[in-house]
C-alpha cells in the first residue's frame, strides 16, 4: 500500500491526508492503530500498513473545561470546552480522538455507545499545518 | 510468578514535609524538612553519614521549575555527597519506584542502609500549565486528542458508569469520605470536611451581606456547579486532587540490622510493580492491567490475600480512580466498589478503611512525593501514631499502599507488616 516508515510520524502525516492508518503483523495478523514499530503480540518486525474505515462507537468520553495550552490555538478555553473520547472501531482496535459536532456544554446529551464516523480537523498551511483526528456522530 | 527478596528489608523511619502550595518554599527546603522529620522518627536515631545511597522520585520538576537532575541536588541538601544518588521517574508513581529500587538494592546485599524519597514543586505554574505538565505522562495519542489528566479519568468514569450503572453521586461518596478523614489529619492540605466547607461558604456569604446559598446536604453542595465547577466531565473540582508542593522520605535498612534502629520496624513483605498502556490499547477501560499485575506480584511474594490487608492508601488522583484501584487490588469485586463505598465499607470505621490520610484528594499530591507520602500514612497507622484518624482495629499488622503513574502506565503495590 505504501512504503512509508511504520511509525507515529507517518501516522500523523496520513491524518493530514484524511486517512486513518494502522498496521498489521504479517506473521501473526495482529492489528495496531496507531501503528507500532514491532508487533507486541509475536514480537515480529514484518508489518504492513492497513487503512481503517473510521467508523465506530463511543466507549468513553470527557468534556474538558480546563484547557491545556496545546488546545488553545484550536479556539478552546474555559468558555468553550471540547469533548475528547475513546472510540471502538468497527473493524477492531480503539483510538482516542476529539469528538466534534456534539455539545460539550451539555455532556448529558453525549452517550457511551453512540455511533461515530471519522473527520479530520486541519489548521494552518504549509509546514505549520496541523491535523487533529476527530469523530462526529454518525 | 513468585518473586522473593534476596534478604529482608525494613522501614525504620519516615518523614514528610507539609503538602500544599508554598510560594516561598522550593523542593530543596521541603526535602530538608522531610529529612529532619524522618531522622526524628527513627527511635534510636540515624547518623546521616551511615546512609549509603539515595533513590529519589521526581516526576517533572524539569517542566515545573525548569530544573532537572534532582538526585545530586538532593544528596547535597542532606549532606551525603559523594554517595550515590539515583533519580526515578514513573510519573505520579516516581517515589514508589524509588522505594522499590531502594528495597531491591538492600535485598541484593549491595547496601545495608538506603534513603528513599520523592519531591515535586508544582505551584509556581498556572493551573493550565500544570495540566499540560501532568499530561506529559499520558500517551502521546491522548495528548493529541486533547486529553488532560482530569479528562482521562473523566473518560474512565463514563466507561465505569456505562458498564456498572454507577453515577456522579457515587463518586461524591468517595470525596465526602476522603474529606471526613482529612478533617482528622492535621497534616492534610485540606484539613476539613465537605460539610465544613459548605457551612463556611454560607457563613462567608452572610458575613459579606451577599445572597446566602442554600444546600440541603453535602451532595446538594457538590451537585451545585457554582460550588463544584466542572473540570473535565464528569470530573468536577471536588473529584480532583489539588496542585501541591511537597517532599517525603523513608529510611530502609536490611532486616538483620533493623532492631538497632527501632523495636518496631515495618517489614516490606509485598512489593509489586506493573506497566500498562494508554486508553487506546488498554485491555479494559474500567481497570488497570498494571495494577492487577502489581497486586498479583505483591500478594504472591507475601503469601497474603486481599482479605489479609487491614487498610490501604490508594492513588485517588481522581475520585473514580479510588473505585477502580480497590477493585483491581481485590478488596472488592469488579463493579462492586461504588456500592461498598456507598454502604460505608471504606470509611475509617468500616471493614476496609481506604485513604485514612484523606488521600491525594485532601492530603495533597506533590506527584513525585506521593508514593512515599502514602508509606508515611501506613507507618503512622501500623505504629499506632495516627491520632484521631487511627484505624479502630485492635490488632493492626498489615497495611498497604498503591500508587499509579500516568494513565495506568506504572502501578505499584507495597505491603508492610508490623510483627
Amino acid at each position: 500500500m505504501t512504503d512509508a516508515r511504520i511509525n507515529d510520524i507517518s501516522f500523523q502525516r496520513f491524518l493530514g491526508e484524511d486517512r486513518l492508518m494502522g498496521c498489521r503483523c504479517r506473521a501473526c495478523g495482529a492489528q495496531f492503530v496507531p501503528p507500532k514499530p514491532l508487533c507486541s503480540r509475536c514480537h515480529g518486525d514484518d508489518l504492513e500498513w492497513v487503512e481503517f474505515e473510521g467508523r465506530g462507537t463511543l466507549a468513553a468520553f470527557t468534556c474538558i473545561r480546563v484547557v491545556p495550552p496545546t488546545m488553545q490555538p484550536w479556539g478552546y478555553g474555559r468558555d468553550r470546552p471540547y469533548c475528547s473520547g475513546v472510540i471502538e472501531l468497527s473493524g477492531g482496535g480503539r483510538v482516542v480522538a476529539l469528538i466534534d459536532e456534539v455539545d460539550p456544554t451539555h455532556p448529558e446529551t453525549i452517550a457511551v455507545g453512540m455511533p461515530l464516523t471519522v473527520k479530520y480537523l486541519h489548521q494552518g498551511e504549509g509546514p505549520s499545518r496541523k491535523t487533529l483526528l476527530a469523530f462526529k456522530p454518525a | 510468578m513468585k518473586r522473593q527478596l534476596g534478604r529482608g528489608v525494613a522501614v525504620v523511619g519516615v518523614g514528610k514535609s507539609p503538602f500544599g502550595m508554598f510560594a516561598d518554599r522550593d523542593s530543596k527546603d521541603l526535602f530538608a524538612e522531610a529529612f529532619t522529620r524522618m531522622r526524628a522518627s527513627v527511635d534510636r536515631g540515624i547518623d546521616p553519614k551511615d546512609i549509603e545511597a539515595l533513590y529519589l522520585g521526581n516526576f517533572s520538576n524539569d517542566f515545573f521549575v525548569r530544573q532537572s537532575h534532582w538526585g545530586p541536588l538532593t544528596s547535597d541538601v542532606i549532606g551525603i555527597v559523594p554517595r550515590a544518588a539515583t533519580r526515578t521517574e514513573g510519573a505520579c508513581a516516581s517515589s514508589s519506584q524509588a522505594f522499590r529500587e531502594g528495597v531491591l538494592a538492600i535485598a541484593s546485599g549491595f547496601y545495608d542502609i538506603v534513603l528513599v524519597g520523592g519531591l515535586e514543586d508544582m505551584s509556581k505554574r498556572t493551573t493550565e500549565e500544570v495540566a499540560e505538565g501532568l499530561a506529559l505522562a499520558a500517551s502521546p495519542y491522548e495528548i493529541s486528542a486533547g486529553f488532560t489528566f482530569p479528562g482521562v479519568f473523566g473518560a474512565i468514569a463514563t466507561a465505569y458508569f456505562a458498564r456498572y450503572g454507577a453515577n456522579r453521586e457515587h463518586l461524591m461518596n468517595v470525596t465526602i469520605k476522603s474529606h471526613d478523614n482529612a478533617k482528622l489529619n492535621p497534616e492534610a492540605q485540606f484539613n476539613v470536611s465537605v460539610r465544613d466547607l459548605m457551612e463556611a461558604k454560607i457563613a462567608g456569604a452572610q458575613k459579606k451581606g451577599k445572597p446566602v446559598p442554600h444546600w440541603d446536604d453535602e451532595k446538594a453542595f457538590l451537585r451545585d456547579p457554582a460550588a463544584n465547577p466542572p473540570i473535565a466531565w464528569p470530573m468536577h473540582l471536588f473529584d480532583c486532587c489539588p496542585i501541591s508542593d511537597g517532599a517525603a522520605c523513608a529510611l530502609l535498612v536490611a532486616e538483620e540490622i533493623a532492631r538497632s534502629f527501632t523495636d518496631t520496624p515495618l517489614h516490606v513483605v509485598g512489593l509489586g510493580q506493573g506497566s500498562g498502556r494508554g486508553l487506546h490499547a488498554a485491555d479494559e477501560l474500567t481497570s488497570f492491567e498494571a495494577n492487577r499485575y502489581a497486586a498479583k506480584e505483591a500478594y504472591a511474594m507475601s503469601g497474603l490475600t486481599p482479605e489479609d490487608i487491614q487498610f490501604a492508601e490508594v492513588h485517588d488522583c481522581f475520585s473514580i480512580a479510588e473505585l477502580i484501584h480497590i477493585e483491581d487490588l481485590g478488596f472488592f469485586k469488579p463493579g462492586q466498589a461504588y456500592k461498598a463505598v456507598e454502604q460505608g465499607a471504606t470509611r475509617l470505621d468500616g471493614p476496609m478503611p481506604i485513604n485514612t490520610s484523606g488521600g491525594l484528594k485532601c492530603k495533597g499530591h506533590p506527584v513525585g512525593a506521593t508514593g512515599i507520602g502514602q508509606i508515611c500514612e501506613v507507618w503512622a497507622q501500623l505504629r499506632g501514631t495516627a491520632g484521631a484518624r487511627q484505624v479502630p482495629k485492635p490488632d493492626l499488622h498489615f497495611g498497604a499502599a498503591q500508587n499509579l503513574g500516568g494513565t495506568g502506565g506504572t502501578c505499584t503495590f507495597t505491603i508492610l507488616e508490623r510483627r
Side-chain angles (χ1 to χ4, degrees), chain B residues 290-307:
Chain B
N291 250 350
R292 301 193 309 272
Y293 183 89
K296 200 171 162 186
E297 191 175 58
Y299 288 133
M301 173 177 153
S302 62
L304 299 171
T305 67
E307 291 71 33

Side-chain angles (χ1 to χ4, degrees), chain A residues 8 61-63 65 82 84 94, chain B residues 141 145-146 158 231 233 279 282:
Chain A
D8 282 350
F61 71 97
T62 182
C63 299
R65 285 187 181 262
Y82 58 91
S84 293
R94 201 194 277 150
Chain B
Y141 315 112
T158 62
I231 304 292
W233 173 267
L279 292 177

Side-chain angles (χ1 to χ4, degrees), chain B residues 22-248:
Chain B
F22 306 114
D24 59 347
R25 303 196 64 177
D26 64 17
S27 286
K28 288 192 244 176
D29 64 318
L30 289 170
F31 197 88
E33 179 165 356
F35 182 71
T36 301
R37 289 188 179 187
M38 179 283 295
R39 287 186 67 192
S41 78
V42 181
D43 294 333
R44 297 198 180 92
I46 171 71
D47 185 336
K49 75 171 169 42
D50 293 332
I51 297 171
E52 297 174 278
L54 168 70
Y55 290 85
L56 182 81
N58 172 243
F59 163 49
S60 199
N61 267 11
D62 321 40
F63 177 89
F64 295 126
V65 295
R66 299 285 187 260
Q67 173 66 57
S68 300
H69 207 174
W70 280 86
L73 285 176
T74 309
S75 65
D76 185 31
V77 165
I78 60 172
I80 65 164
V81 167
R83 279 153 273 165
T86 303
R87 171 177 165 179
T88 57
E89 191 273 298
C92 305
S94 294
S95 63
S96 289
Q97 291 184 330
F99 184 92
R100 180 180 158 98
E101 292 307 314
V103 169
L104 297 177
I106 293 172
S108 75
F110 198 80
Y111 296 126
D112 290 325
I113 302 174
V114 165
L115 185 71
V116 295
L119 51 82
E120 207 77 47
D121 190 356
M122 303 172 70
S123 72
K124 285 41 171 200
R125 304 231 152 236
T126 66
T127 302
E128 278 79 0
E129 286 170 335
V130 171
E132 182 189 19
L134 291 172
L136 298 177
S139 86
Y141 315 112
E142 286 153 4
I143 297 171
S144 301
F147 277 102
T148 55
F149 263 89
V152 165
F153 283 87
I156 289 171
T158 62
Y160 188 93
F161 291 175
R163 182 169 183 182
Y164 297 124
N167 58 48
R168 270 193 70 208
E169 305 277 314
H170 296 106
L171 300 183
M172 293 174 190
N173 295 326
V174 175
T175 298
I176 291 167
K177 181 269 304 169
S178 296
H179 272 275
D180 285 348
N181 288 347
K183 185 178 179 175
L184 306 175
N185 180 4
E187 292 270 310
Q189 187 167 348
F190 300 125
N191 170 220
V192 62
S193 69
V194 174
R195 180 163 288 277
D196 292 341
L197 287 166
M198 179 177 97
E199 285 168 359
K201 283 227 175 197
I202 292 169
Q206 280 167 340
K207 200 172 164 189
K208 289 180 191 157
K210 289 187 177 168
V212 178
H214 172 79
W215 298 289
D216 282 334
D217 57 15
E218 293 115 306
K219 283 198 177 170
F221 174 78
L222 292 175
R223 265 180 232 120
D224 180 355
N228 185 19
I231 304 292
W233 173 267
M235 296 294 101
H236 287 56
L237 184 62
F238 278 79
D239 292 295
C240 307
C241 61
I243 293 167
S244 314
D245 309 322

Side-chain angles (χ1 to χ4, degrees), chain A residues 35 77 89 117:
Chain A
L89 296 172
T117 58

